[in-house]
């Protein structure tokens, strides 16, 4: 035992988790209090638990597993009954079919008798890996009691026991079988409950993995045996009214799904990969309504500038940002505010994501000749007050949007640029005349989406001096007065059941609202650079995205890490 103590402390010193003096101190303390060194370090030291576990695994020459970063492998869980998992505090986390090996997390992985017992019980080769005791307990509850696993596990058992796919004759039967339908509905139900925006079903060489985009980040949640992939894909294709036998080219489809009182529209896309067809399903909620501008994250002077811009009877308002930065949601939010019986609002979208009562929404159909440009030309004969063009992509659409604004319409659209000022040279690049841009552009709004700090496990802390200095430099005059005297306080989520141990729950947008003033108008006419326009706008009070993000981090809405992840240019 003493040998283990020495080796563990040496390994922690080598891993730069302890200094030699601290290691000597803990060695003496362990002898004085007669407490095992690993227990003492977990309870008394400031070393992260995970680092201690990694060092123990290195000393004992056994694998270490972090259960927080692994999906539930339904097939692996199915080999060990819940009663045994709870009795021995073990959790199966991976099954390798090629060599019939079951990987199991345990807080006592050098227990030979346990390995023998499990090998006899499962008839599989067992590999025990070290994991934190409380993590195992937590994930036993998740794997056996809630979420995806129990239903999927049961359906898998049924499916494999029936062994439906044996030859091509009874292949058609298998895809309509209850177990596969159950697995698909469980995957979609879980997505709705966990507020996911997309589901990715991805074939790999030995398994099929299911990932969910939750609050903008992809998280792997489920691992399925490769043998059911074909049936799973075919089931989804049937629901989406796609061709089942066409596997060589990408296909698109959609279907509706209802769980309790929530109804979602799923846009489905298939893509042939080397391991089989990959499926991505985008979830669009039909219930829940559209958030207002304040809920999106617009506040203070930015909200005032947007309200001012949208109250004008004509002009162009552009929303910029990369794919998935929430531009469509912001546009819908603005249209909902402007939607009155006295105005005719028309939208041209690709595709129509949400249907808003009282607004005439048109989906483009390039095969039939209905593009943004042809649709916009027809719109002008439909007596509209407000027009939304999903995206300005080419010269023709740009010129038509400008013509619409010049003839007294309020036009909204999106552009793919990194910030608000770059929208101006981008429009000119797309064939717009600078003097026309200067006369019709009312505002350019850039945005990104950050994850919100989980309100259930939010804690405050004081960042290191370097971060404090960075915040003060970035915010400048915008820094709240109290932080000029006292240290800056930031917030983060500790990780809890509500936020799935991520520390984040929900999302908020950060904005940059560029108002077109008379000075900026002159700069557009002179075709000055985006940088020069931004510098002038800052003098006039422009809050850049990073500053808006930092202010939201100071208010405990998001974290500095999130702002830097999405807005660091």
């Amino acid at each position: 035992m003493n040998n283990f103590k020495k080796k563990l402390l040496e390994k922690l010193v080598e891993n730069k988790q302890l200094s030699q003096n601290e290691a000597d101190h803990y060695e003496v303390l362990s002898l004085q209090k007669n407490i095992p060194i690993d227990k003492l370090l977990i309870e008394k030291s400031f070393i992260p638990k995970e680092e201690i576990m990694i060092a123990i695994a290195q000393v004992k020459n056994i694998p270490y597993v972090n259960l927080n970063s692994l999906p539930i492998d339904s097939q692996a869980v199915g080999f060990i009954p819940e009663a045994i998992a709870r009795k021995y505090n073990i959790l199966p986390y991976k099954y390798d079919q090629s060599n019939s090996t079951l990987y199991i997390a345990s807080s006592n992985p050098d227990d030979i008798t346990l390995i023998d017992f499990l090998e006899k019980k499962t008839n599989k080769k067992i590999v025990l890996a070290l994991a934190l005791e409380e993590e195992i307990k937590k994930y036993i509850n998740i794997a056996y009691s809630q979420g995806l696993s129990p239903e999927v596990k049961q359906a898998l058992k049924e499916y494999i026991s029936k062994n439906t796919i044996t030859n091509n004759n009874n292949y058609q039967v298998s895809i309509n079988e209850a177990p596969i339908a159950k697995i698909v509905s469980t995957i979609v139900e879980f997505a709705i409950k966990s507020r996911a925006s997309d589901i990715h079903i991805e074939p790999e060489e030995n398994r099929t993995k299911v990932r969910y985009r939750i609050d903008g980040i992809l998280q792997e949640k489920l691992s399925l045996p490769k043998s059911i992939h074909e049936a799973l894909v075919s089931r989804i294709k049937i629901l989406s009214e796609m061709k089942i036998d066409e596997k060589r080219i990408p296909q698109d489809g959609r279907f509706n799904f209802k769980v309790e009182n929530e109804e979602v529209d799923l846009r489905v896309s298939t893509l042939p990969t080397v391991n089989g067809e990959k499926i991505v399903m985008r979830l669009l909620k039909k219930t829940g309504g559209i958030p207002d501008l304040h809920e999106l994250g617009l506040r203070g002077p930015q909200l005032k500038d947007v309200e001012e811009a949208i109250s004008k009877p004509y002009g162009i308002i552009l929303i910029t940002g990369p794919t998935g930065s929430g531009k469509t949601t912001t546009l819908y939010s603005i249209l909902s505010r402007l939607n009155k019986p006295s105005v005719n609002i028309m939208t041209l979208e690709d595709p129509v994501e949400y249907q808003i009562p009282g607004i005439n929404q048109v989906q483009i159909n390039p095969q039939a000749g209905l593009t943004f440009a042809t649709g916009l030309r027809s719109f002008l004969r439909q007596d509209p007050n407000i027009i939304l063009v999903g995206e300005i992509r080419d010269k023709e659409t740009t010129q038509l949007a400008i013509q619409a604004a010049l003839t007294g319409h309020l036009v909204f659209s999106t552009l793919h640029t990194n910030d608000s000022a770059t929208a101006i040279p981008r429009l000119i690049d797309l064939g717009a005349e600078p003097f026309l841009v200067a006369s019709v552009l009312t505002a350019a709004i850039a945005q990104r989406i950050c994850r919100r700090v989980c309100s259930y496990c939010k804690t405050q802390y004081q960042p290191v001096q370097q971060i404090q200095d960075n915040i003060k430099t970035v915010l400048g005059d915008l820094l709240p007065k109290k932080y000029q005297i006292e240290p800056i306080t930031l917030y983060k989520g500790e990780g809890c059941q509500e936020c799935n141990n991520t520390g984040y729950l929900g999302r908020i947008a950060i904005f940059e609202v560029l108002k077109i003033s008379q000075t900026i108008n002159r700069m557009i006419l002179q075709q000055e650079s985006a940088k020069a326009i931004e510098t002038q706008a800052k003098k006039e009070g422009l809050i850049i995205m990073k500053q808006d993000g930092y202010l939201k981090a100071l208010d405990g809405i998001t974290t500095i890490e999130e702002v830097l992840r999405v807005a660091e240019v």
Side-chain angles (χ1 to χ4, degrees):
M1 189 64 198
N2 280 348
N3 192 24
F4 167 69
K5 183 190 295 184
K6 228 172 194 50
K7 279 186 175 173
L8 178 60
L9 291 166
E10 278 169 13
K11 184 55 77 176
L12 287 165
V13 171
E14 188 190 313
N15 292 354
K16 296 189 170 51
Q17 295 299 325
L18 282 178
S19 67
Q20 191 54 57
N21 285 346
E22 287 169 329
D24 296 342
H25 164 71
Y26 284 119
E27 189 175 2
V28 171
L29 201 62
S30 169
L31 283 166
Q32 284 174 344
K33 301 207 167 195
N34 196 20
I35 299 173
I37 190 68
D38 47 351
K39 196 177 175 196
L40 178 79
L41 288 168
I42 285 170
E43 285 174 7
K44 305 285 182 193
S45 78
F46 293 105
I47 308 168
K49 278 183 189 173
E50 188 169 0
E51 293 297 337
I52 298 169
M53 300 303 274
I54 289 169
I56 292 170
Q58 287 169 337
V59 168
K60 292 186 172 182
N61 198 20
I62 50 173
Y64 164 74
V65 62
N66 176 358
L67 294 174
N68 283 322
S69 62
L70 286 178
I72 295 166
D73 185 333
S74 293
Q75 197 175 11
V77 171
F79 289 120
I80 303 284
E82 185 180 349
I84 289 175
R86 289 191 186 280
K87 184 179 176 185
Y88 295 101
N89 200 35
I90 55 172
L91 181 72
Y93 65 91
K94 188 171 109 186
Y95 175 59
D96 186 345
Q97 210 156 357
S98 57
N99 53 15
S100 195
T101 304
L102 187 60
Y103 294 84
I104 296 176
S106 165
S107 53
N108 187 17
D110 32 19
D111 185 343
I112 308 292
T113 53
L114 178 60
I115 294 173
D116 285 347
F117 165 70
L118 292 172
E119 282 184 344
K120 285 194 181 87
K121 180 84 188 159
T122 60
N123 207 16
K124 305 271 180 278
K125 184 173 182 288
I126 299 292
V127 174
L128 289 187
L130 180 66
L132 277 165
E133 195 170 342
E134 59 267 35
E135 256 183 37
I136 297 170
K137 283 196 173 101
K138 180 176 83 176
Y139 281 96
I140 286 174
N141 289 337
I142 293 171
Y144 289 96
S145 328
Q146 61 192 16
L148 283 170
S149 196
E151 294 92 337
V152 174
K153 199 175 70 190
Q154 191 52 44
L156 273 175
K157 256 189 200 155
E158 276 179 51
Y159 182 80
I160 291 161
S161 66
K162 287 180 181 176
N163 195 18
T164 42
I165 300 181
T166 48
N167 59 45
N168 287 338
N169 300 338
N170 60 7
Y171 175 67
Q172 193 60 41
V173 181
S174 73
I175 57 181
N176 293 315
E177 290 261 354
I180 292 296
K182 180 70 184 161
I183 290 171
V184 171
S185 66
T186 306
I187 287 171
V188 177
E189 265 177 53
F190 183 83
I192 295 167
K193 283 175 188 163
S194 55
R195 313 175 334 278
S197 60
D198 300 82
I199 306 167
H200 292 236
I201 298 172
E202 301 172 311
E204 291 186 346
E205 203 175 339
N206 301 314
R207 63 173 189 144
T208 291
K209 69 177 180 187
V210 181
R211 296 196 289 172
Y212 293 90
R213 192 174 290 282
I214 300 169
D215 293 335
I217 305 288
L218 271 176
Q219 298 174 18
E220 192 175 330
K221 292 287 182 189
L222 182 64
S223 182
L224 296 166
K226 186 69 189 284
S227 57
I228 73 156
H229 184 76
E230 289 273 325
L232 205 61
V233 168
S234 297
R235 171 70 188 161
I236 293 165
K237 279 183 171 180
I238 286 172
L239 290 170
S240 318
E241 296 178 359
M242 294 182 201
K243 293 176 184 167
I244 303 178
D245 52 348
E246 183 53 86
K247 298 172 185 181
R248 298 160 304 166
I249 57 167
Q251 293 186 68
D252 292 304
R254 63 196 307 162
F255 68 94
N256 272 9
F257 189 88
K258 197 168 184 184
V259 54
E260 290 161 17
N261 25 352
E262 272 200 89
E263 192 178 353
V264 291
D265 192 17
L266 288 107
R267 284 213 319 267
V268 185
S269 160
T270 70
L271 184 75
T273 72
V274 287
N275 293 315
E277 285 180 282
K278 175 183 170 175
I279 286 187
V280 174
M281 295 189 268
R282 163 67 57 93
L283 281 81
L284 301 168
K285 281 192 180 178
K286 289 193 160 187
T287 47
I290 292 157
D292 69 27
L293 294 172
H294 185 70
E295 286 170 323
L296 291 176
L298 274 168
R299 50 196 203 154
Q302 291 182 314
L303 180 59
K304 186 171 153 287
D305 288 346
V306 170
E307 285 176 333
E308 215 172 275
I310 67 175
S311 65
K312 293 189 175 169
Y314 62 87
I316 292 181
I317 294 167
L318 291 176
I319 305 212
T320 78
T323 307
S325 58
K327 300 188 294 290
T328 309
T329 306
T330 303
L331 283 171
Y332 281 162
S333 188
I334 291 170
L335 290 184
S336 296
R337 178 172 282 213
L338 297 172
N339 189 9
K340 295 198 272 302
S342 55
V343 292
N344 177 16
I345 301 175
M346 304 196 71
T347 77
L348 195 56
E349 302 171 61
D350 178 25
V352 172
E353 292 198 9
Y354 297 96
Q355 291 178 13
I356 310 169
I359 291 179
N360 306 291
Q361 292 169 278
V362 177
Q363 182 156 323
I364 70 162
N365 183 354
Q367 284 90 5
L370 177 55
T371 62
F372 282 127
T374 56
L376 192 47
R377 201 174 272 113
S378 309
F379 270 25
L380 296 174
R381 295 194 287 273
Q382 288 278 325
D383 184 31
N385 299 98
I386 297 166
I387 296 170
L388 162 64
V389 186
E391 192 186 332
I392 291 178
R393 294 180 185 166
D394 52 43
K395 188 174 181 177
E396 199 181 354
T397 314
T398 309
Q399 289 174 340
L400 282 163
I402 287 174
Q403 285 304 318
L406 283 169
T407 52
H409 302 92
L410 185 56
V411 180
F412 293 95
S413 193
T414 68
L415 265 184
H416 286 281
T417 64
N418 286 329
D419 54 37
S420 54
T422 319
I424 296 160
R426 178 83 183 110
L427 267 187
I428 295 167
D429 186 41
L430 281 166
E433 293 288 350
F435 69 92
L436 291 177
V437 174
S439 58
V440 297
L441 190 62
T442 309
I445 304 164
Q447 69 176 78
R448 299 285 188 283
I449 298 185
C450 294
R451 291 181 291 169
R452 277 178 179 271
V453 175
C454 172
S455 55
Y456 295 93
C457 60
K458 186 197 281 192
T459 57
Q460 59 184 63
Y461 70 100
Q462 276 183 3
V464 294
Q465 195 56 46
Q466 195 183 349
I467 293 174
Q468 301 218 21
D469 295 342
N470 175 256
I471 292 169
K472 287 174 181 171
T473 310
V474 169
L475 288 178
D477 298 340
L478 293 169
L479 185 76
K481 286 193 171 52
K482 65 173 181 174
Y483 292 129
Q484 286 160 8
I485 311 150
E486 56 188 76
I488 287 172
T489 305
L490 292 176
Y491 301 81
K492 63 178 177 183
E494 290 279 306
C496 63
Q497 209 169 348
E498 294 292 331
C499 62
N500 201 18
N501 289 300
T502 59
Y504 296 100
L505 190 65
R507 294 196 284 173
I508 189 93
I510 58 172
F511 291 94
E512 182 175 297
V513 182
L514 176 70
K515 261 196 325 184
I516 309 298
S517 65
Q518 284 182 321
T519 313
I520 291 171
N521 247 329
R522 282 197 296 276
M523 293 174 84
I524 296 170
L525 284 169
Q526 288 154 8
Q527 292 199 45
E528 294 205 28
S529 69
K531 199 79 211 146
I533 290 171
E534 188 183 280
T535 306
Q536 176 57 32
K538 280 182 182 171
K539 288 178 192 164
E540 295 174 9
L542 172 75
I543 296 170
I544 63 167
M545 260 184 298
K546 198 171 172 185
Q547 290 175 327
D548 186 38
Y550 276 22
L551 287 168
K552 283 176 175 139
L554 290 177
D555 288 344
I557 298 168
T558 187
T559 63
I560 291 289
E561 291 80 7
E562 272 298 287
V563 176
L564 293 175
R565 179 178 70 84
V566 300
E568 185 66 288
V569 183

